[in-house]
Amino acid sequence: MTETGIHYLDARGPDGMRLYAIGDVHGRHDLLAAMHRRIETELEYAPATDWRIIHLGDYVDRGPDS
């Protein structure tokens, strides 16, 4: 517990919403596309009524698709 009484383990998304977070792509479109396919497959297998993909971090830098 912190001085504010808030702890990161208490963080929650809205009820009923599935969140996917993808970080630091670094110009690797191939891996990003593969992750999107995995999310699509999961949603087909275990549908969610509401879902979001959140992209974080660096999109370009180093990879072949920068």
Side-chain angles (χ1 to χ4, degrees):
M1 190 71 61
T2 65
E3 291 180 25
T4 63
I6 298 172
H7 193 277
Y8 75 94
L9 292 175
D10 296 329
R12 302 280 183 273
D15 286 341
M17 181 184 292
R18 189 175 305 163
L19 298 174
Y20 299 93
I22 302 172
D24 293 323
V25 174
H26 287 290
R28 292 294 307 268
H29 182 263
D30 57 332
L31 297 178
L32 178 61
M35 183 58 66
H36 286 170
R37 286 190 301 274
R38 288 184 72 172
I39 292 169
E40 182 179 22
T41 299
E42 179 176 299
L43 289 169
E44 289 172 359
Y45 176 74
T49 56
D50 194 7
W51 56 275
R52 304 282 193 280
I53 299 174
I54 302 165
H55 294 95
L56 307 164
D58 300 321
Y59 292 107
V60 298
D61 177 24
R62 296 178 284 216
D65 297 311
S66 285

